[in-house]
Amino acid sequence: MASIMTNAAALTALQSLNATNKSLEQTQARISTGYRVSEASDNAAYWSIATTMRSDNAALSTVQDALGLGASKVDTAYTGMNNVLSTIGQIKTKLLASVGQSDANKAKTQTEITALQAQMKSFADAATFSGSNFLSVTSKQVAAANDGVQPDAKIVSSFNRSSSGAISLGTIDIDVESTKLFDSGLATDVKNYGILDRQTSIYSTAADQSAYDAAYAAAIAGGATDIAANTAGQSAVSGTPTKIDNVSAYNLDITAAGVTDDIITQMITKIDNVMSQLTDSATILGAAKSSIDLQKTFTQSLMDSIDRGVGQLVDADMNKESTRLQALQVQQQLGIQSLSIANSSSQSILSLFKNG
């Protein structure tokens, strides 16, 4: 039925054109942003998930940076430790060569040893990165025990979100107490020395040295500081030590009065023990370095996985959207023509009245 009051065909064509324009705007927005879900109104659930996961990915990026910083600290300490190991090996060689030497030659050898000792301290002091040094430390007394044990160095290694939404951080802990070589704190503050400056005693006979070493090791195993262990070791021997090395492998003096070839032999034994401890410390740093590298690789893979997962939820399929855009543009043109035709029919009815 033709009507001059209501043009049903034009209304239908207009509704169709409006729907096409709306779909066209949506498609154009997806193409311009690259997202199928760019705001909560597009899909509240997907938008919420994507927003949370993007935030978590940003946190993981910070964790990746922390791991990189931690790796640099450990690498620096590991480099210093390797150089100290090489240097103490040279000292061991010098001590071996000094057995049976004349006093004049021992004095020359001592000059070389002193230079190597200073070099070890220099290596440890220089092994600093971003204010952290795992080899040369300053005494930090623990309030409860007052024993000067260094706290572990913590490197943030993971950002975790449980199924309930609870957040937690994971860390890789560096046992600085086991890697420290020197304690540069005030003598009154030092309660537990590093590997290269802890107090030990040297005796002129192997029997006395064995008795001392056994008592010293037992005290350490019982939780005593090296100062207390040194006292316990001395108490286990009837005689007095020929030489006290307040800094063990660091303060060796083969020219001191009363230092015989037997005592030098005991020094060599202590140097060998210290090398074993340094090797253990290097293993701690090496294991930490390996853990950090593995965690860095995992964190990067996890970030990539989250990016892919979020993309599957909210990214637009550009091939599909570009094809849809072309189709909608054609529909828009057809809709405009349909509306024009519908309006033309109304004009035809009015022309009948004019002609009549």
Side-chain angles (χ1 to χ4, degrees):
M1 179 185 71
S3 171
I4 61 171
M5 301 301 296
T6 303
N7 190 337
L11 291 176
T12 300
L14 182 60
Q15 290 176 356
S16 178
L17 181 60
N18 286 337
T20 300
N21 286 338
K22 184 177 180 179
S23 296
L24 187 60
E25 290 175 1
Q26 184 184 62
T27 300
Q28 288 174 330
R30 289 178 178 179
I31 291 176
S32 62
T33 63
Y35 292 118
R36 178 169 58 92
V37 179
S38 59
E39 53 189 33
S41 59
D42 294 330
N43 187 312
Y46 284 2
W47 179 85
S48 176
I49 294 171
T51 300
T52 300
M53 296 312 297
R54 287 188 185 118
S55 175
D56 287 356
N57 235 18
L60 287 173
S61 178
T62 302
V63 169
Q64 191 79 325
D65 292 339
L67 285 167
L69 179 60
S72 298
K73 292 178 180 180
V74 173
D75 281 342
T76 301
Y78 190 78
T79 299
M81 184 71 74
N82 274 340
N83 280 276
V84 168
L85 266 167
S86 176
T87 303
I88 205 168
Q90 295 179 53
I91 292 176
K92 180 179 176 181
T93 301
K94 300 296 182 185
L95 288 173
L96 282 167
S98 69
V99 175
Q101 281 185 344
S102 65
D103 290 343
N105 287 333
K106 283 182 179 179
K108 295 176 182 177
T109 301
Q110 181 60 45
T111 300
E112 294 178 308
I113 290 175
T114 300
L116 291 172
Q117 293 164 351
Q119 194 61 55
M120 286 195 300
K121 187 68 166 64
S122 177
F123 288 149
D125 290 340
T128 301
F129 190 94
S130 187
S132 296
N133 192 321
F134 302 153
L135 306 184
S136 182
V137 302
T138 300
S139 293
K140 292 183 179 180
Q141 298 180 353
V142 179
N146 198 33
D147 58 2
V149 174
Q150 292 292 313
D152 290 348
K154 296 184 180 295
I155 298 171
V156 176
S157 60
S158 63
F159 174 86
N160 310 307
R161 184 185 295 275
S162 69
S163 57
S164 63
I167 292 174
S168 63
L169 297 179
T171 61
I172 294 175
D173 299 339
I174 311 297
D175 185 3
V176 178
E177 182 62 25
S178 296
T179 63
K180 70 177 184 180
L181 305 182
F182 298 97
D183 194 318
S184 302
L186 297 175
T188 54
D189 294 332
V190 176
K191 304 297 182 183
N192 210 32
Y193 289 92
I195 295 173
L196 296 183
D197 62 2
R198 61 182 47 147
Q199 292 191 352
T200 60
S201 297
I202 292 178
Y203 290 81
S204 58
T205 68
D208 285 347
Q209 189 67 52
S210 179
Y212 167 85
D213 290 341
Y216 182 94
I220 290 293
T225 64
D226 50 62
I227 297 175
N230 183 52
T231 301
Q234 291 180 17
S235 299
V237 183
S238 58
T240 57
T242 304
K243 177 177 175 56
I244 298 178
D245 277 329
N246 290 326
V247 280
S248 185
Y250 177 64
N251 191 27
L252 300 170
D253 186 1
I254 61 176
T255 62
V259 176
T260 64
D261 286 347
D262 287 339
I263 292 177
I264 293 177
T265 300
Q266 299 302 330
M267 289 181 180
I268 295 171
T269 300
K270 284 193 174 295
I271 285 286
D272 197 59
N273 291 337
V274 168
M275 288 188 70
S276 177
Q277 295 174 48
L278 290 176
T279 301
D280 291 341
S281 297
T283 300
I284 291 173
L285 293 173
K289 184 177 182 300
S290 178
S291 295
I292 290 173
D293 289 343
L294 288 172
Q295 193 65 28
K296 284 176 65 178
T297 301
F298 169 73
T299 301
Q300 185 59 58
S301 297
L302 183 60
M303 291 172 63
D304 293 343
S305 177
I306 290 176
D307 280 338
R308 290 194 299 270
V310 170
Q312 290 176 356
L313 291 178
V314 302
D315 286 357
D317 184 338
M318 301 305 288
N319 290 331
K320 177 180 177 181
E321 297 301 334
S322 61
T323 301
R324 181 172 173 77
L325 177 64
Q326 293 179 356
L328 288 171
Q329 287 173 338
V330 172
Q331 290 180 31
Q332 184 186 50
Q333 294 172 1
L334 292 175
I336 292 172
Q337 291 179 1
S338 297
L339 182 60
S340 177
I341 293 172
N343 288 330
S344 296
S345 64
S346 295
Q347 292 296 327
S348 298
I349 294 174
L350 288 175
S351 64
L352 293 175
F353 290 99
K354 288 179 180 180
N355 293 331

